[in-house]
Amino acid sequence: MRTTLASSRATPPSSRLSGRSARVFNLLTGAAIALGLADLAILAGVRLASPAVGTIALPLATGAIAGGLAAIRLGASRGDRRLWVLLFAGLALSFAGGVVSAATGNHVDHTGVADILWLAAYPPWYAALIVISRHYLGGAHRSFWLDGLLIGLASATYVAALFLKDLVGLSQTTLIVTVAYPAADLALLGILFGTLLMIGRPSPQGLVLAGGLLFTLASDTLRTVALSGGHTHATGAMSCAWALGLLGLASASWARPAPGRVLPVGGWWELTSPACIASLACGILVAGHWVVLPDAAVVLAAATFACALARLVWTLREVRSLALHRREALTDDLTGLPNRRALFRELEVLTAAGESSSRHFALLQLDLDGFKELNDTLGHHAGDDLLIAVSRRLEAVCPGTLARLGGDEFAAIVPDGSDASVVAAAVGEALHTPIDIEGVGVAVNASVGIAHFPQDAHDSRELARRADVAMYDAKRLGTVVAGYTAEHDEHSLDRLALAGDLRNAFDRDELWLAFQPQVDIATGRISGAEALIRWRHPSRGEIPPGVLLPIAERTGLMPQLTLWVLERAIAQAAQWRRAGLDIRIGVNVSAIVLVDATLPDRIASTLASHALTPENLCVEVTEDAVMADTSRAIAILDRIKKSGVEISVDDFGTGQSSLEQLKNVPADELKLDRSFVLGMVDDPQDAAIVGSVVGLGRALGLRVVAEGVETPQVWQRLADLGCDVAQGFGLARPMPAAQFERWAREPSDRARLLVPDLHTSRSSWRPRARSRDRVA
Ligand code: C2E
Ligand code: CA
Ligand code: CA
């Protein structure tokens, strides 16, 4: 069932209303307080000169004010108004009953229209309480509404047993009505207390509601007592208690509701209430053995007993199969906290009304920084202890549900009324004090992401994803807390998921290398190939390097990736060389790997293990990579160069480097960025840049490679300028090794358009079939 309770902001109700309604609301509230106090005084025994004030004027005025408050509530509610309609309908009926009763002399010893109206108020109130309980507890406890009726039946039994014998000289209808009032009140209270118990936290709304119902019960009890004492008319206390009841119900509509909570089916409450009721009914039947009970009481008791038993059996059967299963499925073994599934169930309930919901809350997602390292150094036992200790600390500062999502990830629901950023800061603070694990004080840092409902997302999944994005933002920015911002979300959703997948991609053979040929412009000879990483994701297909590489950088997988590419590219070049295809393989090495002092030795040993000469390898580093950490990167490049491997400055022309800096780089090759090459035929400025880089290369004795050669015109211009090597889609796109081999043997017509005499260096280049034989 989808319901929307009061907007439960911490702001006072009047500030949620428009100007005139707010003034009326304030006025009514003032009057309600004044009249309520007067009612209380009369209930407490203060006597007035004129009894009519206590039995008619005061209660009816209070009732009218209560009706007004509920009406404004109904008018101000947005979205689902079922609850407010029901509550208001009950109030209006009950108030009408009061008016009719006053007009007809306030008799209690016989029934009339007033009683019909009063009793008619109970079904809508009962329905309203069911709406509230469903709202708090979700739809899982479907049989719950039966318990209220059961309590009503049991109460009727008691009232009948206690009072019926003293109620003499009354009509049958009046007797039934007299028993029905307190029984109906107790049914409402039963449902309400049941709900409050199950939520576990009394909310202002629940308490005010309970107060209102207790006054109603008091009024009806006074009525029964008065009747059994021979009274015939309503007393001031009776009427004022009734009025206070109405006031309580109306005020509840303005009080703050409890945060929702999803409970596993099969809690103790499911069994206790029917069990208690059954034993009470049983008690009455047993008592009938010694004292004379009215027949009605015995019949009611038997009916109650039978009903309670049936409910008990039904619940037992339901619970036996569900309880264990559900509880296990919803808690985290290690910490005892709700698990991911439990969290999502609760989120589902909280977000059920979607964007139109007036319920606000926030989801915090947090992740411990460096937990894995900690786990590795101190051992799994210590890791578990740490997670348990962290859970306890988090529980202390989180006002709503706290769940462990798995590993070192937790999530917390921050109900309306608490400030999510304050809670997030408290989380950071709570973990700051070192935790004692096996005698070692371990300080834990967390990254917390916050997403708000309904501002940031309109369903539970989206909300969780956005909290996750925010958490990642916190990690990236190095802050404890970050809120969700749409700008950072662009691709981050996908990237977050992919980050997890990349780790496994190496083992699962999802990565592969594409090779794009490079052709010597003067001779038409295929002189090299650039190795380009590719990721064939099992469900998302090809992931372009533009997506893959930032993920690798972020997750610290770049060194592993670079070594993987080097190994594969060198192996491939060696295999080709053995087969007679003698070309230089270009491998891209990104800036963050250029700080690794072991890189030159690793390259040398990989070359040695595949028996490839260093001249067959060219390490491509971008201009900016070399300039970022100049001395260190250059020292490493120097060592690579000394081993005989060539160095290429990639994307040349796009960086900020000066010629002065370039002088220090041990380069063999300048690789002109394709942005200049692509447009050089049409754009004189691009053409000028290409021309001057070619000139610069010649002056410094460096080979110049033009990237992005797509058309014969560009090829021709490059040839005219004296550029050394061309690479681009016009010759061939990056392709798998096998296809590259075929292309090198028999270049495509398209490539021939650019380079009619395209060829490989050696005439000994053997057909693939034979080279495969050789390998096999
Ligand atoms: P890059 O080093 O500039 O590589 C050349 C890129 O230009 C390739 O893109 C290639 O497909 C593209 N390209 C080649 N000819 C043409 C052309 O005629 N027209 C156009 N429009 N584009 C052309 P790709 O494969 O998407 O790679 C993008 C970048 O990713 C590379 O740029 C390189 O910086 C990086 N990358 C690729 N593989 C690796 C790797 O294994 N390690 C590292 N660190 N970076 C890599
Ligand atoms: Ca490159
Ligand atoms: Ca490039």
Side-chain angles (χ1 to χ4, degrees):
M1 187 187 281
R2 281 156 191 237
T3 53
T4 308
L5 271 192
S7 123
S8 50
R9 318 255 53 176
T11 51
S14 59
S15 69
R16 277 175 265 152
L17 299 168
S18 63
R20 232 189 80 208
S21 310
R23 274 197 298 280
V24 176
F25 175 84
N26 288 335
L27 211 73
L28 287 182
T29 313
I33 294 171
L35 291 177
L37 289 173
D39 286 325
L40 269 177
I42 291 178
L43 192 57
V46 171
R47 287 184 180 277
L48 295 173
S50 157
V53 173
T55 49
I56 301 175
L58 199 51
L60 287 186
T62 316
I65 300 273
L69 281 173
I72 300 182
R73 182 71 191 91
L74 178 60
S77 69
R78 286 161 289 131
D80 193 337
R81 298 150 64 105
R82 241 176 318 177
L83 175 62
W84 310 125
V85 170
L86 290 168
L87 196 80
F88 178 73
L91 276 170
L93 284 165
S94 190
F95 178 67
V99 173
V100 172
S101 174
T104 54
N106 265 338
H107 286 284
V108 290
D109 58 344
H110 56 256
T111 42
V113 179
D115 294 282
I116 297 176
L117 290 167
W118 273 328
L119 286 174
Y122 285 96
W125 279 339
Y126 197 75
L129 283 173
I130 297 295
V131 167
I132 291 184
S133 81
R134 288 273 164 90
H135 178 80
Y136 286 156
L137 306 168
H141 306 266
R142 282 185 199 289
S143 49
F144 185 53
W145 65 272
L146 257 183
D147 290 344
L149 290 184
L150 214 50
I151 294 169
L153 205 52
S155 322
T157 310
Y158 266 85
V159 177
L162 289 176
F163 297 104
L164 230 44
K165 60 181 187 317
D166 300 326
L167 297 173
V168 284
L170 296 175
S171 72
Q172 202 66 23
T173 328
T174 309
L175 283 180
I176 293 175
V177 167
T178 306
V179 171
Y181 281 131
D185 294 329
L186 283 168
L188 295 183
L189 273 168
I191 282 285
L192 180 69
F193 280 130
T195 308
L196 292 182
L197 271 177
M198 284 161 90
I199 297 170
R201 280 171 286 226
S203 64
Q205 190 171 59
L207 292 177
V208 177
L209 213 48
L213 290 177
L214 282 172
F215 277 121
T216 314
L217 176 65
S219 167
D220 291 329
T221 312
L222 286 173
R223 178 195 163 99
T224 312
V225 173
L227 265 174
S228 61
H231 285 76
T232 53
H233 287 80
T235 62
M238 216 185 283
S239 304
C240 287
W242 166 80
L244 284 166
L246 296 194
L247 206 54
L249 295 181
S251 319
S253 68
W254 289 100
R256 189 147 53 82
R261 177 173 175 205
V262 178
L263 292 160
V265 172
W268 53 268
W269 53 83
E270 300 242 20
L271 296 171
T272 19
S273 68
C276 289
I277 293 165
S279 12
L280 288 178
C282 202
I284 290 195
L285 289 177
V286 172
H289 191 75
W290 292 283
V291 293
V292 182
L293 285 177
D295 291 348
V298 177
V299 171
L300 279 169
T304 310
F305 186 65
C307 271
L309 226 56
R311 163 82 168 92
L312 202 61
V313 171
W314 179 21
T315 308
L316 259 179
R317 275 183 46 183
E318 218 176 45
V319 160
R320 199 177 301 147
S321 61
L322 281 174
L324 200 70
H325 175 73
R326 290 260 176 107
R327 198 191 295 271
E328 270 173 9
L330 292 172
T331 31
D332 172 51
D333 277 346
L334 180 68
T335 59
L337 292 176
N339 61 13
R340 180 186 288 273
R341 193 177 297 136
L343 178 85
F344 270 97
R345 269 181 164 223
E346 180 160 350
L347 286 178
E348 226 104 82
V349 172
L350 291 174
T351 57
E355 263 166 325
S356 64
S357 171
S358 57
R359 176 181 259 176
H360 298 245
F361 70 95
L363 180 68
L364 303 190
Q365 180 148 338
L366 65 128
D367 177 283
L368 308 181
D369 298 338
F371 175 75
K372 192 186 167 307
E373 288 74 9
L374 230 142
N375 210 20
D376 291 348
T377 17
L378 291 178
H380 286 283
H381 261 304
D384 287 353
D385 288 350
L386 183 73
L387 287 175
I388 294 170
V390 165
S391 313
R392 298 293 91 84
R393 291 212 179 162
L394 294 179
E395 268 178 324
V397 293
C398 291
T401 300
L402 171 72
R404 177 169 170 234
L405 303 178
D408 57 347
E409 275 192 24
F410 295 84
I413 293 174
V414 181
D416 200 5
S418 308
D419 185 333
S421 31
V422 172
V423 174
V427 163
E429 196 57 35
L431 299 181
H432 205 66
T433 329
I435 297 174
D436 183 61
I437 302 291
E438 295 175 1
V440 184
V442 179
V444 192
N445 287 321
S447 309
V448 188
I450 307 176
H452 290 273
F453 180 82
Q455 297 92 319
D456 292 336
H458 57 264
D459 65 35
S460 54
R461 305 268 142 201
E462 196 178 0
L463 186 70
R465 274 200 305 269
R466 303 210 146 159
D468 197 69
V469 168
M471 183 185 80
Y472 171 64
D473 266 350
K475 271 200 193 305
R476 196 171 48 88
L477 302 170
T479 58
V480 175
V481 185
Y484 170 78
T485 42
E487 305 90 74
H488 293 167
D489 197 17
E490 285 281 88
H491 304 292
S492 45
L493 304 183
D494 272 321
R495 291 185 189 210
L496 275 166
L498 284 174
D501 296 348
L502 181 58
R503 226 168 270 278
N504 302 318
F506 290 93
D507 300 325
R508 296 187 186 156
D509 248 337
E510 292 168 5
L511 298 177
W512 60 283
L513 285 183
F515 296 91
Q516 188 178 28
Q518 298 175 333
V519 176
D520 196 306
I521 296 177
T523 63
R525 185 182 83 92
I526 299 169
S527 60
E530 180 174 14
L532 296 157
I533 187 84
R534 295 290 182 265
W535 182 10
R536 195 178 292 123
H537 191 279
S539 59
R540 295 168 191 237
E542 289 289 345
I543 311 286
V547 175
L548 155 65
L549 296 169
I551 295 174
E553 283 204 12
R554 212 183 64 210
T555 50
L557 289 171
M558 204 52 163
Q560 187 184 350
L561 184 130
T562 306
L563 292 177
W564 185 91
V565 174
L566 275 166
E567 161 74 32
R568 291 297 173 102
I570 288 171
Q572 187 59 63
Q575 191 196 316
W576 279 336
R577 213 176 110 97
R578 286 196 299 271
L581 177 59
D582 192 4
I583 55 173
R584 184 176 45 240
I585 292 281
V587 170
N588 295 286
V589 172
S590 67
I592 43 173
V593 182
L594 268 190
V595 296
D596 180 4
T598 66
L599 187 67
D601 294 338
R602 283 171 186 264
I603 292 177
S605 68
T606 310
L607 284 168
S609 73
H610 290 281
L612 187 73
T613 48
E615 295 77 17
N616 283 89
L617 180 67
C618 179
V619 166
E620 297 190 10
V621 292
T622 61
E623 193 185 349
D624 283 329
V626 197
M627 305 313 165
D629 181 7
T630 322
S631 54
R632 185 164 180 159
I634 287 179
I636 290 170
L637 287 175
D638 265 325
R639 285 172 53 209
I640 296 175
K641 162 109 175 172
K642 282 215 180 72
S643 72
V645 173
E646 293 199 346
I647 307 288
S648 171
V649 182
D650 204 351
D651 298 348
F652 191 73
T654 56
Q656 305 291 315
S657 53
S658 65
L659 284 179
E660 180 61 32
Q661 286 169 304
L662 182 65
K663 208 178 68 185
N664 299 323
V665 180
D668 299 279
E669 178 183 286
L670 296 180
K671 218 169 164 182
L672 248 170
D673 190 73
R674 61 178 175 273
S675 57
F676 307 115
V677 179
L678 283 167
M680 65 182 286
V681 174
D682 302 314
D683 187 339
Q685 258 181 327
D686 283 354
I689 292 172
V690 174
S692 53
V693 171
V694 170
L696 179 69
R698 194 173 298 145
L700 296 174
L702 304 175
R703 180 170 65 236
V704 177
V705 179
E707 243 182 2
V709 180
E710 295 193 356
T711 61
Q713 291 82 354
V714 169
W715 171 275
Q716 197 49 53
R717 282 295 291 278
L718 289 170
D720 293 342
L721 286 168
C723 182
D724 302 289
V725 176
Q727 174 183 346
F729 292 173
L731 294 158
R733 287 179 180 263
M735 49 200 162
Q739 196 183 333
F740 184 96
E741 270 181 40
R742 281 198 293 278
W743 181 90
R745 246 183 295 126
E746 216 177 327
S748 63
D749 291 341
R750 169 150 202 203
R752 293 257 187 234
L753 215 61
L754 268 69
V755 203
D757 61 338
L758 190 65
H759 64 278
T760 48
S761 59
R762 293 210 207 154
S763 50
S764 63
W765 169 234
R766 286 180 292 270
R768 185 179 159 76
R770 279 180 52 200
S771 72
R772 198 195 261 157
D773 288 346
R774 237 173 48 107
V775 175

